[in-house]
Amino acid sequence: MGPASLGRADADREDAVRIVIGGAAGFDDVPVLRELADRHDVAFAPDDAALAEHLPTAEVFVSWTFRGSGLERHWPLARRLRWVHWCGAGVRPALFGDLVASDVVLTNARGVFDRAMAEYVLGTILAFALRLPAALEEQRHRRWTYRHSERLEGTTAVVVGVGAIGRRVGELLAAAGVTVHGIGRTARETDTVFGRVHGRDDRVTLLGRADWVVAVMPDTPGTEGWFGADEFGAMKPTARFVNVGRGSTVVERDLVEALRDGRIAGAALDVVAEEPLPADSPLWTLPGVILTPHMSGDYEGFEDDLCRQFLRLLAQDEAGVAPDNVVDKQAGYVPGS
């Protein structure tokens, strides 16, 4: 094996699995997975050369980096591969044609980021309601400026995307006294969080009622450009838009125009169309905009939780049980999420 490999302690175990971890250089990067070395044959592929070396023998590929793994470039080498685990909630970079057409199972990190992302949404909405961006600007200039804040209780939020993350967002906002409505791929008359889930056809009416519009949609062909001029035009001039889903779901020039023209009051954006956000983007300087660098789900210790999740899925696989979080590769998401 090359220098990026670690052999299992018992090389003769017939039930040992050949696992390749892409984007990590060794167990120091993923210490929680160190226990794998006692039972399985683990190799690390921090670069293309290591990936090309180890992929031909891989049964399981773990993509530690979720923005691009190199797997597509080296797919012809993946002769024994049966399972890819993607350490992110969005799997668009993994959905290249050969993988989608294959029998290889794809799983993702659904469930790890839900609570943190919901807290981010609640936090940014509170920041808007308390007018914290304006307060920080006044502080920077040493100005003691009195202002009123807004109450969350009695306001209305529309959550677009009612999977696991959107549902947790709905739960936290409801606990703060916000009336929450959900828009999903498919309408349904009863729902334990939203009461009822609306379809896209109801979006204009619902967006017109919202004080807070929260986008939690995945990056799929069906969600591209979901928020455009019509959607921002339907919102109240006092509404704020929060996006923790994907930048591709927003027509960014339409959002910029809505903010610039005062058709909506503000936006909290954890994701944008091009990341990092270009230095010349007007979003940097538009008033009422909170920008964060795609970190709403990244809390202290989340890497360890990702590793523990993979160990749990691997235990299911070893027991002959289909692992949780299996992605529908045609749809681009985990059914029910």
Side-chain angles (χ1 to χ4, degrees):
M1 296 181 183
S5 298
L6 290 175
R8 60 185 183 271
D10 180 359
D12 297 326
R13 282 193 52 176
E14 293 183 358
D15 58 347
V17 177
R18 174 68 162 170
I19 301 170
V20 174
I21 303 175
F27 283 122
D28 286 346
D29 289 343
V30 284
V32 172
L33 297 183
R34 197 177 297 274
E35 67 180 71
L36 290 175
D38 295 332
R39 299 180 289 120
H40 299 295
D41 186 359
V42 182
F44 292 91
D47 52 41
D48 264 21
L51 182 59
E53 176 185 355
H54 298 302
L55 195 55
T57 58
E59 300 170 70
V60 178
F61 179 77
V62 179
S63 184
W64 186 242
T65 173
F66 53 82
R67 296 188 186 278
S69 64
L71 190 58
E72 181 176 8
R73 291 191 298 275
H74 297 288
W75 184 256
L77 300 174
R79 294 183 287 269
R80 299 181 60 199
L81 195 63
R82 61 180 178 81
W83 174 19
V84 171
H85 179 64
W86 201 259
C87 292
V91 296
R92 187 77 179 266
L95 295 176
F96 54 92
D98 287 333
L99 176 56
V100 171
S102 74
D103 293 329
V104 174
V105 172
L106 175 65
T107 57
N108 73 350
R110 181 185 67 161
V112 171
F113 306 106
D114 301 359
R115 175 73 189 197
M117 293 178 70
E119 290 179 358
Y120 173 97
V121 171
L122 177 59
T124 53
I125 286 177
L126 281 168
F128 281 130
L130 297 173
R131 297 184 167 87
L132 289 183
L136 291 172
E137 182 66 14
E138 295 297 276
Q139 178 181 335
R140 190 172 70 85
H141 292 287
R142 299 173 185 256
R143 293 194 291 251
W144 188 265
T145 306
Y146 177 81
R147 64 182 59 78
H148 288 171
S149 62
E150 302 171 43
R151 291 284 303 275
L152 282 193
E153 187 175 25
T155 61
T156 298
V158 171
V159 180
V160 185
V162 294
I165 297 169
R167 298 178 71 77
R168 188 60 66 92
V169 169
E171 290 168 352
L172 281 192
L173 293 182
V178 178
T179 298
V180 292
H181 300 285
I183 297 177
R185 290 179 292 267
T186 304
R188 55 181 182 267
E189 291 301 316
T190 58
D191 185 86
T192 56
V193 174
F194 300 102
R196 172 190 176 193
V197 171
H198 297 262
R200 182 170 181 169
D201 289 347
D202 294 335
R203 70 191 185 285
V204 171
T205 299
L206 287 175
L207 293 175
R209 301 174 187 167
D211 300 293
W212 320 102
V213 177
V214 184
V216 202
M217 291 181 290
D219 180 13
T220 69
T223 64
E224 289 182 8
W226 200 100
F227 282 96
D230 290 345
E231 287 70 32
F232 293 120
M235 297 179 197
K236 299 189 292 188
T238 54
R240 277 82 160 211
F241 175 68
V242 181
N243 191 4
V244 292
R246 288 294 184 269
S248 63
T249 64
V250 175
V251 181
E252 207 158 272
R253 65 179 179 277
D254 292 342
L255 171 61
V256 168
E257 289 178 6
L259 289 163
R260 184 178 282 151
D261 296 345
R263 283 182 273 128
I264 63 173
L269 307 173
D270 187 51
V271 290
V272 289
E274 181 182 348
E275 299 179 5
L277 182 67
D280 61 352
S281 170
L283 291 171
W284 286 110
T285 54
L286 279 171
V289 175
I290 297 173
L291 290 170
T292 53
H294 204 147
M295 43 66 68
S296 62
D298 298 352
Y299 53 92
E300 294 292 336
F302 84 94
E303 297 97 336
D304 289 350
D305 286 345
L306 285 173
C307 292
R308 293 186 188 99
Q309 180 186 59
F310 174 69
L311 290 176
R312 179 175 58 80
L313 298 181
L314 181 62
Q316 292 175 328
D317 179 69
E318 291 176 295
V321 177
D324 296 333
N325 291 10
V326 174
V327 174
D328 179 331
K329 293 184 291 184
Q330 297 296 329
Y333 52 84
V334 178
S337 68

